[in-house]
Amino acid sequence: MVALVVFVAGTLVSVTAFRGGAISFVKYMAVLAGIYLVVRVIAWGRNRLLWSLRNRLIVAYLFIAVVPILLIITFVVLAGNFLYSQLGAYLLYEDLQRRIEMMTDIGQHIAAAHDFLPKGVSPEESEHVLAAQSHTVHDSELPGLTIDFSNDVSELQSLLKNFGTPGRTYYSGLLQRQGTLSMVSMRLLGDTQNRRMVRLRVLITPELLAKVAPDLGAIQLNLTEPYTGGQPSGVIYSTGGAQYQTAHPIFAKNRALQPAGFWLEPSVNVVSRLEDAASIAPDGTVGKPNPVFAVFSARPTRLNGRMFSTLGELRDFYLLLFVVFAVVFLLIWIAAFITGVVLTRQITKAIADLYHATQYVQSGDLTHRVRIERRDQLGVLAESFNLMTGSISGLIEEQKKRQRLENEISIAREVQSQLFPQKLPKVPGVDIQAICKAARSVSGDYYDFIQLSDTHIAIALADISGKGISAALLMASLQAALRSQLLTAGSETTSTAELVARLNRHLVRNTGDDRFATFFIAVYDSATRTLRYTNAGHLPSFLISRDGPQQLTKGGMVLGVMEDCCYDEEMVHVADNSILVLYSDGLVEPENVYGEEFGIKRLQQAAVYVQASPPKVVAESLMTAAEEWAGTPEQADDMTVIVARLN
């Protein structure tokens, strides 16, 4: 807007009569603002025009097909104009030169006759007769011809010397004298003792120009004279290190451009330089030759007639052949252009259909399909688009199902989190910590702490077969059965073997044949410092004291396989400041880059190394040791560890 205001202000100021430095500055800023506006308008128009693919293709076709044709036509027109200009200049020059040569021949004839005068005939009588004969023969071709004889040959000698031909005996050409232009031919007569000169002269007049080169239109000859400075009287022309100005034009009388041969025929306007004219000053001295310019117009059809006149009757045949080829080429070009337009519409229609289809997809309508009309690449593209939208619909449905499943898993994870102990039991002499890292959203490992009395605590750890929701459901069933058994009166004296047997019967009767669980349960009495345990197919837990680690392996097979299984209970006396470590198989099965498992032995060594630390530190150290052994944060199985310090 600022540039527009500045441009308008500068334009208004430029048409007023105000002057001054501020006005000039406003005009200068208006020019800059105009340039800026042009650039902005071009950029805006280009963005608006070329946004559509159809417009882009049309512009491309214009540059590929139309612009080259226009350039070729322009080149042909320019070449034809140049050719016709040269042909017209040649016809004018040739006509004038033919007359000059005719005058040269007349002078040569007079000189030859003068050398062989018959006896008794004086030179004056002979010259008069020769001049009369020449007038009789050539006055029609050379109107205004004058023939005179003179004993003063200085003018001819000066011309010959000035043109660099002192050894010649004649001069023929154009001669400019006191604003007039003439065709002259001068020749020496007689011997070196009795020098005479014959001079033939035809003044170039409007009447003479009316008969020169009849195929041309109006003709104008412009004489020149040396430019000496000051206000020029005509156009300044520089040549050969000198400057000339046009003066003394000669117009052909009653001569105009011929009518056009057809309605579209243009005219050819030519400015041509003829041969330089010798110049003679009023005092008779010969100066430098002055250029002579011819300005004329012509019609191409008249020039064609002159150019092809030698073909005779074949001229019409060649002309017809040229017209036929021109029409054929034009038809081919039109057919090619129409084909390009049709293909462009097909391409842009397919792209437009795809664009509108994307608008439907953007609005959420995935049922819209692109109509396939052809089996070309664009048709395959439309088919791919239809397949893509169909796939997107399927993916969205699958995503919805996955979302529902994730919601269910989230609920299961929340429910499972409620199954784990929410607070640690408070039994004198017992400090316990547990860490469980699930491999998936829902863990298949189960641990529990149940305070049976003021001095009794039950510690349980199970590894459910499988992972995910099915394992979580079995875990919930196991947790419910375990707590129903242990939360009854007198459960602190119940044998762990009997308890495990009851849990086994419960799982066998209420789960499928392919579902089982490993289980370890220990009951610790802080008053007597005794630990009763049963291991049902679980990895051996170990008790670390001052004497070293002791593995707890007594028990039986896994739960949920056979109903009538017998389990054993073992009682262990716990030394002061011992550590009980329970773990799942996910903690000992990680492998390093060489395929070696972490193993129970390394786990025991890691526990012994930090046995003096609090249970939480011990549990975290065991987890870290297993993860560092694997060297990757990815888990293949659930990892659970329970550390209890028994004082």
Side-chain angles (χ1 to χ4, degrees), residues 60-92:
Y61 284 133
L62 287 177
F63 279 101
I64 293 174
V66 178
V67 171
I69 294 297
L70 294 178
L71 292 176
I72 292 174
I73 292 175
T74 303
F75 176 77
V76 170
V77 170
L78 293 177
N81 186 75
F82 175 76
L83 175 63
Y84 289 125
S85 299
Q86 294 302 308
L87 178 59
Y90 171 77
L91 293 177
L92 177 59

PDB file of all heavy atoms in Angstrom, residues 60-92:
ATOM      1  N   ALA A  60       2.925 -24.457 -19.653  1.00  0.00           N
ATOM      2  CA  ALA A  60       4.008 -25.281 -20.192  1.00  0.00           C
ATOM      3  C   ALA A  60       3.836 -25.486 -21.694  1.00  0.00           C
ATOM      4  O   ALA A  60       4.803 -25.383 -22.466  1.00  0.00           O
ATOM      5  CB  ALA A  60       4.046 -26.625 -19.464  1.00  0.00           C
ATOM      6  N   TYR A  61       2.594 -25.780 -22.131  1.00  0.00           N
ATOM      7  CA  TYR A  61       2.352 -25.960 -23.560  1.00  0.00           C
ATOM      8  C   TYR A  61       2.594 -24.663 -24.333  1.00  0.00           C
ATOM      9  O   TYR A  61       3.065 -24.686 -25.473  1.00  0.00           O
ATOM     10  CB  TYR A  61       0.926 -26.461 -23.798  1.00  0.00           C
ATOM     11  CG  TYR A  61       0.746 -27.920 -23.482  1.00  0.00           C
ATOM     12  CD1 TYR A  61      -0.325 -28.366 -22.713  1.00  0.00           C
ATOM     13  CD2 TYR A  61       1.660 -28.866 -23.932  1.00  0.00           C
ATOM     14  CE1 TYR A  61      -0.489 -29.704 -22.405  1.00  0.00           C
ATOM     15  CE2 TYR A  61       1.501 -30.200 -23.629  1.00  0.00           C
ATOM     16  CZ  TYR A  61       0.431 -30.615 -22.871  1.00  0.00           C
ATOM     17  OH  TYR A  61       0.287 -31.936 -22.566  1.00  0.00           O
ATOM     18  N   LEU A  62       2.243 -23.546 -23.708  1.00  0.00           N
ATOM     19  CA  LEU A  62       2.502 -22.270 -24.378  1.00  0.00           C
ATOM     20  C   LEU A  62       3.990 -22.081 -24.621  1.00  0.00           C
ATOM     21  O   LEU A  62       4.413 -21.674 -25.712  1.00  0.00           O
ATOM     22  CB  LEU A  62       1.946 -21.121 -23.532  1.00  0.00           C
ATOM     23  CG  LEU A  62       0.417 -20.969 -23.507  1.00  0.00           C
ATOM     24  CD1 LEU A  62       0.019 -19.846 -22.574  1.00  0.00           C
ATOM     25  CD2 LEU A  62      -0.129 -20.704 -24.909  1.00  0.00           C
ATOM     26  N   PHE A  63       4.786 -22.391 -23.604  1.00  0.00           N
ATOM     27  CA  PHE A  63       6.225 -22.221 -23.757  1.00  0.00           C
ATOM     28  C   PHE A  63       6.826 -23.301 -24.664  1.00  0.00           C
ATOM     29  O   PHE A  63       7.797 -23.046 -25.369  1.00  0.00           O
ATOM     30  CB  PHE A  63       6.910 -22.268 -22.388  1.00  0.00           C
ATOM     31  CG  PHE A  63       6.844 -20.967 -21.647  1.00  0.00           C
ATOM     32  CD1 PHE A  63       5.929 -20.774 -20.633  1.00  0.00           C
ATOM     33  CD2 PHE A  63       7.692 -19.918 -21.975  1.00  0.00           C
ATOM     34  CE1 PHE A  63       5.854 -19.578 -19.949  1.00  0.00           C
ATOM     35  CE2 PHE A  63       7.622 -18.716 -21.305  1.00  0.00           C
ATOM     36  CZ  PHE A  63       6.706 -18.542 -20.292  1.00  0.00           C
ATOM     37  N   ILE A  64       6.239 -24.500 -24.648  1.00  0.00           N
ATOM     38  CA  ILE A  64       6.800 -25.591 -25.447  1.00  0.00           C
ATOM     39  C   ILE A  64       6.354 -25.500 -26.901  1.00  0.00           C
ATOM     40  O   ILE A  64       7.150 -25.729 -27.818  1.00  0.00           O
ATOM     41  CB  ILE A  64       6.400 -26.954 -24.839  1.00  0.00           C
ATOM     42  CG1 ILE A  64       7.076 -27.123 -23.465  1.00  0.00           C
ATOM     43  CG2 ILE A  64       6.794 -28.098 -25.756  1.00  0.00           C
ATOM     44  CD1 ILE A  64       6.625 -28.360 -22.726  1.00  0.00           C
ATOM     45  N   ALA A  65       5.083 -25.167 -27.133  1.00  0.00           N
ATOM     46  CA  ALA A  65       4.535 -25.234 -28.489  1.00  0.00           C
ATOM     47  C   ALA A  65       4.296 -23.864 -29.110  1.00  0.00           C
ATOM     48  O   ALA A  65       4.729 -23.594 -30.229  1.00  0.00           O
ATOM     49  CB  ALA A  65       3.214 -26.031 -28.467  1.00  0.00           C
ATOM     50  N   VAL A  66       3.599 -22.998 -28.369  1.00  0.00           N
ATOM     51  CA  VAL A  66       3.180 -21.735 -28.974  1.00  0.00           C
ATOM     52  C   VAL A  66       4.339 -20.753 -29.075  1.00  0.00           C
ATOM     53  O   VAL A  66       4.553 -20.126 -30.121  1.00  0.00           O
ATOM     54  CB  VAL A  66       2.011 -21.125 -28.167  1.00  0.00           C
ATOM     55  CG1 VAL A  66       1.602 -19.785 -28.749  1.00  0.00           C
ATOM     56  CG2 VAL A  66       0.827 -22.087 -28.156  1.00  0.00           C
ATOM     57  N   VAL A  67       5.075 -20.611 -27.987  1.00  0.00           N
ATOM     58  CA  VAL A  67       6.171 -19.628 -27.995  1.00  0.00           C
ATOM     59  C   VAL A  67       7.203 -19.939 -29.075  1.00  0.00           C
ATOM     60  O   VAL A  67       7.624 -19.028 -29.805  1.00  0.00           O
ATOM     61  CB  VAL A  67       6.811 -19.543 -26.593  1.00  0.00           C
ATOM     62  CG1 VAL A  67       8.072 -18.700 -26.621  1.00  0.00           C
ATOM     63  CG2 VAL A  67       5.812 -18.965 -25.600  1.00  0.00           C
ATOM     64  N   PRO A  68       7.660 -21.205 -29.227  1.00  0.00           N
ATOM     65  CA  PRO A  68       8.604 -21.461 -30.335  1.00  0.00           C
ATOM     66  C   PRO A  68       8.020 -21.136 -31.702  1.00  0.00           C
ATOM     67  O   PRO A  68       8.728 -20.613 -32.567  1.00  0.00           O
ATOM     68  CB  PRO A  68       8.908 -22.957 -30.193  1.00  0.00           C
ATOM     69  CG  PRO A  68       8.678 -23.252 -28.761  1.00  0.00           C
ATOM     70  CD  PRO A  68       7.534 -22.389 -28.364  1.00  0.00           C
ATOM     71  N   ILE A  69       6.715 -21.442 -31.900  1.00  0.00           N
ATOM     72  CA  ILE A  69       6.098 -21.112 -33.187  1.00  0.00           C
ATOM     73  C   ILE A  69       6.097 -19.603 -33.404  1.00  0.00           C
ATOM     74  O   ILE A  69       6.411 -19.102 -34.500  1.00  0.00           O
ATOM     75  CB  ILE A  69       4.665 -21.674 -33.244  1.00  0.00           C
ATOM     76  CG1 ILE A  69       4.690 -23.206 -33.226  1.00  0.00           C
ATOM     77  CG2 ILE A  69       3.951 -21.180 -34.494  1.00  0.00           C
ATOM     78  CD1 ILE A  69       5.384 -23.832 -34.404  1.00  0.00           C
ATOM     79  N   LEU A  70       5.743 -18.861 -32.352  1.00  0.00           N
ATOM     80  CA  LEU A  70       5.751 -17.402 -32.475  1.00  0.00           C
ATOM     81  C   LEU A  70       7.161 -16.880 -32.742  1.00  0.00           C
ATOM     82  O   LEU A  70       7.348 -15.945 -33.545  1.00  0.00           O
ATOM     83  CB  LEU A  70       5.192 -16.769 -31.204  1.00  0.00           C
ATOM     84  CG  LEU A  70       3.701 -17.030 -30.914  1.00  0.00           C
ATOM     85  CD1 LEU A  70       3.292 -16.387 -29.609  1.00  0.00           C
ATOM     86  CD2 LEU A  70       2.837 -16.515 -32.059  1.00  0.00           C
ATOM     87  N   LEU A  71       8.149 -17.481 -32.082  1.00  0.00           N
ATOM     88  CA  LEU A  71       9.528 -17.056 -32.323  1.00  0.00           C
ATOM     89  C   LEU A  71       9.946 -17.361 -33.760  1.00  0.00           C
ATOM     90  O   LEU A  71      10.624 -16.552 -34.414  1.00  0.00           O
ATOM     91  CB  LEU A  71      10.470 -17.745 -31.337  1.00  0.00           C
ATOM     92  CG  LEU A  71      10.335 -17.321 -29.861  1.00  0.00           C
ATOM     93  CD1 LEU A  71      11.259 -18.136 -28.990  1.00  0.00           C
ATOM     94  CD2 LEU A  71      10.633 -15.835 -29.709  1.00  0.00           C
ATOM     95  N   ILE A  72       9.534 -18.552 -34.247  1.00  0.00           N
ATOM     96  CA  ILE A  72       9.870 -18.910 -35.633  1.00  0.00           C
ATOM     97  C   ILE A  72       9.186 -17.954 -36.604  1.00  0.00           C
ATOM     98  O   ILE A  72       9.795 -17.483 -37.580  1.00  0.00           O
ATOM     99  CB  ILE A  72       9.464 -20.374 -35.912  1.00  0.00           C
ATOM    100  CG1 ILE A  72      10.358 -21.324 -35.103  1.00  0.00           C
ATOM    101  CG2 ILE A  72       9.565 -20.691 -37.398  1.00  0.00           C
ATOM    102  CD1 ILE A  72       9.944 -22.774 -35.200  1.00  0.00           C
ATOM    103  N   ILE A  73       7.894 -17.666 -36.326  1.00  0.00           N
ATOM    104  CA  ILE A  73       7.175 -16.733 -37.203  1.00  0.00           C
ATOM    105  C   ILE A  73       7.836 -15.360 -37.167  1.00  0.00           C
ATOM    106  O   ILE A  73       8.017 -14.708 -38.210  1.00  0.00           O
ATOM    107  CB  ILE A  73       5.698 -16.647 -36.774  1.00  0.00           C
ATOM    108  CG1 ILE A  73       4.985 -17.981 -37.055  1.00  0.00           C
ATOM    109  CG2 ILE A  73       4.988 -15.512 -37.511  1.00  0.00           C
ATOM    110  CD1 ILE A  73       3.560 -18.022 -36.543  1.00  0.00           C
ATOM    111  N   THR A  74       8.205 -14.928 -35.946  1.00  0.00           N
ATOM    112  CA  THR A  74       8.890 -13.636 -35.830  1.00  0.00           C
ATOM    113  C   THR A  74      10.202 -13.643 -36.594  1.00  0.00           C
ATOM    114  O   THR A  74      10.541 -12.677 -37.305  1.00  0.00           O
ATOM    115  CB  THR A  74       9.140 -13.310 -34.355  1.00  0.00           C
ATOM    116  OG1 THR A  74       7.885 -13.325 -33.653  1.00  0.00           O
ATOM    117  CG2 THR A  74       9.791 -11.947 -34.193  1.00  0.00           C
ATOM    118  N   PHE A  75      10.938 -14.735 -36.461  1.00  0.00           N
ATOM    119  CA  PHE A  75      12.205 -14.833 -37.184  1.00  0.00           C
ATOM    120  C   PHE A  75      11.978 -14.818 -38.695  1.00  0.00           C
ATOM    121  O   PHE A  75      12.716 -14.165 -39.441  1.00  0.00           O
ATOM    122  CB  PHE A  75      12.931 -16.115 -36.774  1.00  0.00           C
ATOM    123  CG  PHE A  75      14.205 -16.367 -37.531  1.00  0.00           C
ATOM    124  CD1 PHE A  75      15.360 -15.667 -37.224  1.00  0.00           C
ATOM    125  CD2 PHE A  75      14.246 -17.297 -38.568  1.00  0.00           C
ATOM    126  CE1 PHE A  75      16.534 -15.887 -37.918  1.00  0.00           C
ATOM    127  CE2 PHE A  75      15.406 -17.521 -39.269  1.00  0.00           C
ATOM    128  CZ  PHE A  75      16.562 -16.813 -38.947  1.00  0.00           C
ATOM    129  N   VAL A  76      10.937 -15.552 -39.144  1.00  0.00           N
ATOM    130  CA  VAL A  76      10.643 -15.579 -40.581  1.00  0.00           C
ATOM    131  C   VAL A  76      10.244 -14.188 -41.066  1.00  0.00           C
ATOM    132  O   VAL A  76      10.671 -13.737 -42.144  1.00  0.00           O
ATOM    133  CB  VAL A  76       9.527 -16.607 -40.868  1.00  0.00           C
ATOM    134  CG1 VAL A  76       9.033 -16.481 -42.302  1.00  0.00           C
ATOM    135  CG2 VAL A  76      10.047 -18.016 -40.629  1.00  0.00           C
ATOM    136  N   VAL A  77       9.430 -13.491 -40.252  1.00  0.00           N
ATOM    137  CA  VAL A  77       9.021 -12.140 -40.648  1.00  0.00           C
ATOM    138  C   VAL A  77      10.228 -11.217 -40.725  1.00  0.00           C
ATOM    139  O   VAL A  77      10.384 -10.449 -41.691  1.00  0.00           O
ATOM    140  CB  VAL A  77       7.967 -11.603 -39.661  1.00  0.00           C
ATOM    141  CG1 VAL A  77       7.709 -10.120 -39.904  1.00  0.00           C
ATOM    142  CG2 VAL A  77       6.660 -12.383 -39.795  1.00  0.00           C
ATOM    143  N   LEU A  78      11.096 -11.297 -39.696  1.00  0.00           N
ATOM    144  CA  LEU A  78      12.285 -10.446 -39.714  1.00  0.00           C
ATOM    145  C   LEU A  78      13.206 -10.799 -40.873  1.00  0.00           C
ATOM    146  O   LEU A  78      13.750  -9.913 -41.556  1.00  0.00           O
ATOM    147  CB  LEU A  78      13.035 -10.578 -38.381  1.00  0.00           C
ATOM    148  CG  LEU A  78      12.310 -10.019 -37.143  1.00  0.00           C
ATOM    149  CD1 LEU A  78      13.128 -10.286 -35.900  1.00  0.00           C
ATOM    150  CD2 LEU A  78      12.046  -8.533 -37.307  1.00  0.00           C
ATOM    151  N   ALA A  79      13.377 -12.133 -41.102  1.00  0.00           N
ATOM    152  CA  ALA A  79      14.223 -12.549 -42.217  1.00  0.00           C
ATOM    153  C   ALA A  79      13.619 -12.127 -43.554  1.00  0.00           C
ATOM    154  O   ALA A  79      14.332 -11.665 -44.460  1.00  0.00           O
ATOM    155  CB  ALA A  79      14.425 -14.067 -42.178  1.00  0.00           C
ATOM    156  N   GLY A  80      12.265 -12.285 -43.674  1.00  0.00           N
ATOM    157  CA  GLY A  80      11.624 -11.845 -44.907  1.00  0.00           C
ATOM    158  C   GLY A  80      11.735 -10.347 -45.097  1.00  0.00           C
ATOM    159  O   GLY A  80      11.983  -9.869 -46.217  1.00  0.00           O
ATOM    160  N   ASN A  81      11.574  -9.590 -44.011  1.00  0.00           N
ATOM    161  CA  ASN A  81      11.709  -8.147 -44.113  1.00  0.00           C
ATOM    162  C   ASN A  81      13.130  -7.757 -44.534  1.00  0.00           C
ATOM    163  O   ASN A  81      13.329  -6.870 -45.374  1.00  0.00           O
ATOM    164  CB  ASN A  81      11.350  -7.500 -42.774  1.00  0.00           C
ATOM    165  CG  ASN A  81      11.339  -5.993 -42.846  1.00  0.00           C
ATOM    166  OD1 ASN A  81      10.430  -5.394 -43.392  1.00  0.00           O
ATOM    167  ND2 ASN A  81      12.363  -5.371 -42.287  1.00  0.00           N
ATOM    168  N   PHE A  82      14.110  -8.466 -43.944  1.00  0.00           N
ATOM    169  CA  PHE A  82      15.498  -8.188 -44.326  1.00  0.00           C
ATOM    170  C   PHE A  82      15.748  -8.554 -45.791  1.00  0.00           C
ATOM    171  O   PHE A  82      16.393  -7.803 -46.544  1.00  0.00           O
ATOM    172  CB  PHE A  82      16.430  -8.984 -43.412  1.00  0.00           C
ATOM    173  CG  PHE A  82      17.876  -8.875 -43.768  1.00  0.00           C
ATOM    174  CD1 PHE A  82      18.598  -7.730 -43.462  1.00  0.00           C
ATOM    175  CD2 PHE A  82      18.521  -9.912 -44.431  1.00  0.00           C
ATOM    176  CE1 PHE A  82      19.943  -7.625 -43.800  1.00  0.00           C
ATOM    177  CE2 PHE A  82      19.855  -9.816 -44.768  1.00  0.00           C
ATOM    178  CZ  PHE A  82      20.568  -8.666 -44.450  1.00  0.00           C
ATOM    179  N   LEU A  83      15.218  -9.720 -46.202  1.00  0.00           N
ATOM    180  CA  LEU A  83      15.421 -10.160 -47.579  1.00  0.00           C
ATOM    181  C   LEU A  83      14.770  -9.184 -48.558  1.00  0.00           C
ATOM    182  O   LEU A  83      15.401  -8.764 -49.555  1.00  0.00           O
ATOM    183  CB  LEU A  83      14.825 -11.561 -47.764  1.00  0.00           C
ATOM    184  CG  LEU A  83      14.842 -12.121 -49.191  1.00  0.00           C
ATOM    185  CD1 LEU A  83      16.282 -12.286 -49.678  1.00  0.00           C
ATOM    186  CD2 LEU A  83      14.106 -13.457 -49.257  1.00  0.00           C
ATOM    187  N   TYR A  84      13.509  -8.810 -48.275  1.00  0.00           N
ATOM    188  CA  TYR A  84      12.826  -7.893 -49.183  1.00  0.00           C
ATOM    189  C   TYR A  84      13.471  -6.511 -49.162  1.00  0.00           C
ATOM    190  O   TYR A  84      13.484  -5.813 -50.192  1.00  0.00           O
ATOM    191  CB  TYR A  84      11.348  -7.801 -48.811  1.00  0.00           C
ATOM    192  CG  TYR A  84      10.575  -9.053 -49.143  1.00  0.00           C
ATOM    193  CD1 TYR A  84       9.832  -9.720 -48.181  1.00  0.00           C
ATOM    194  CD2 TYR A  84      10.586  -9.579 -50.440  1.00  0.00           C
ATOM    195  CE1 TYR A  84       9.124 -10.872 -48.484  1.00  0.00           C
ATOM    196  CE2 TYR A  84       9.885 -10.721 -50.748  1.00  0.00           C
ATOM    197  CZ  TYR A  84       9.153 -11.364 -49.771  1.00  0.00           C
ATOM    198  OH  TYR A  84       8.458 -12.499 -50.085  1.00  0.00           O
ATOM    199  N   SER A  85      13.990  -6.116 -47.999  1.00  0.00           N
ATOM    200  CA  SER A  85      14.690  -4.834 -47.938  1.00  0.00           C
ATOM    201  C   SER A  85      15.916  -4.851 -48.836  1.00  0.00           C
ATOM    202  O   SER A  85      16.163  -3.902 -49.609  1.00  0.00           O
ATOM    203  CB  SER A  85      15.086  -4.525 -46.493  1.00  0.00           C
ATOM    204  OG  SER A  85      13.948  -4.427 -45.670  1.00  0.00           O
ATOM    205  N   GLN A  86      16.678  -5.936 -48.746  1.00  0.00           N
ATOM    206  CA  GLN A  86      17.871  -6.034 -49.575  1.00  0.00           C
ATOM    207  C   GLN A  86      17.517  -6.130 -51.058  1.00  0.00           C
ATOM    208  O   GLN A  86      18.201  -5.548 -51.916  1.00  0.00           O
ATOM    209  CB  GLN A  86      18.700  -7.256 -49.148  1.00  0.00           C
ATOM    210  CG  GLN A  86      19.285  -7.132 -47.750  1.00  0.00           C
ATOM    211  CD  GLN A  86      20.163  -5.908 -47.608  1.00  0.00           C
ATOM    212  OE1 GLN A  86      21.081  -5.684 -48.403  1.00  0.00           O
ATOM    213  NE2 GLN A  86      19.874  -5.089 -46.605  1.00  0.00           N
ATOM    214  N   LEU A  87      16.424  -6.868 -51.354  1.00  0.00           N
ATOM    215  CA  LEU A  87      16.013  -6.990 -52.747  1.00  0.00           C
ATOM    216  C   LEU A  87      15.561  -5.634 -53.296  1.00  0.00           C
ATOM    217  O   LEU A  87      15.931  -5.249 -54.424  1.00  0.00           O
ATOM    218  CB  LEU A  87      14.887  -8.018 -52.873  1.00  0.00           C
ATOM    219  CG  LEU A  87      14.324  -8.225 -54.285  1.00  0.00           C
ATOM    220  CD1 LEU A  87      15.424  -8.669 -55.252  1.00  0.00           C
ATOM    221  CD2 LEU A  87      13.183  -9.232 -54.264  1.00  0.00           C
ATOM    222  N   GLY A  88      14.767  -4.897 -52.499  1.00  0.00           N
ATOM    223  CA  GLY A  88      14.332  -3.574 -52.953  1.00  0.00           C
ATOM    224  C   GLY A  88      15.503  -2.629 -53.132  1.00  0.00           C
ATOM    225  O   GLY A  88      15.574  -1.875 -54.132  1.00  0.00           O
ATOM    226  N   ALA A  89      16.456  -2.648 -52.172  1.00  0.00           N
ATOM    227  CA  ALA A  89      17.635  -1.796 -52.303  1.00  0.00           C
ATOM    228  C   ALA A  89      18.453  -2.183 -53.531  1.00  0.00           C
ATOM    229  O   ALA A  89      18.985  -1.318 -54.245  1.00  0.00           O
ATOM    230  CB  ALA A  89      18.476  -1.890 -51.032  1.00  0.00           C
ATOM    231  N   TYR A  90      18.528  -3.489 -53.789  1.00  0.00           N
ATOM    232  CA  TYR A  90      19.276  -3.940 -54.964  1.00  0.00           C
ATOM    233  C   TYR A  90      18.605  -3.462 -56.260  1.00  0.00           C
ATOM    234  O   TYR A  90      19.294  -3.023 -57.205  1.00  0.00           O
ATOM    235  CB  TYR A  90      19.389  -5.457 -54.957  1.00  0.00           C
ATOM    236  CG  TYR A  90      19.948  -6.026 -56.241  1.00  0.00           C
ATOM    237  CD1 TYR A  90      21.310  -5.966 -56.517  1.00  0.00           C
ATOM    238  CD2 TYR A  90      19.105  -6.610 -57.187  1.00  0.00           C
ATOM    239  CE1 TYR A  90      21.823  -6.472 -57.698  1.00  0.00           C
ATOM    240  CE2 TYR A  90      19.601  -7.115 -58.364  1.00  0.00           C
ATOM    241  CZ  TYR A  90      20.962  -7.046 -58.620  1.00  0.00           C
ATOM    242  OH  TYR A  90      21.465  -7.545 -59.795  1.00  0.00           O
ATOM    243  N   LEU A  91      17.257  -3.545 -56.317  1.00  0.00           N
ATOM    244  CA  LEU A  91      16.563  -3.103 -57.526  1.00  0.00           C
ATOM    245  C   LEU A  91      16.775  -1.612 -57.773  1.00  0.00           C
ATOM    246  O   LEU A  91      17.009  -1.181 -58.920  1.00  0.00           O
ATOM    247  CB  LEU A  91      15.062  -3.399 -57.398  1.00  0.00           C
ATOM    248  CG  LEU A  91      14.664  -4.879 -57.371  1.00  0.00           C
ATOM    249  CD1 LEU A  91      13.161  -5.024 -57.178  1.00  0.00           C
ATOM    250  CD2 LEU A  91      15.107  -5.585 -58.653  1.00  0.00           C
ATOM    251  N   LEU A  92      16.725  -0.803 -56.699  1.00  0.00           N
ATOM    252  CA  LEU A  92      16.943   0.626 -56.857  1.00  0.00           C
ATOM    253  C   LEU A  92      18.384   0.910 -57.286  1.00  0.00           C
ATOM    254  O   LEU A  92      18.638   1.686 -58.225  1.00  0.00           O
ATOM    255  CB  LEU A  92      16.610   1.342 -55.545  1.00  0.00           C
ATOM    256  CG  LEU A  92      16.845   2.857 -55.523  1.00  0.00           C
ATOM    257  CD1 LEU A  92      16.010   3.546 -56.598  1.00  0.00           C
ATOM    258  CD2 LEU A  92      16.545   3.423 -54.146  1.00  0.00           C
TER     259      LEU A  92
END
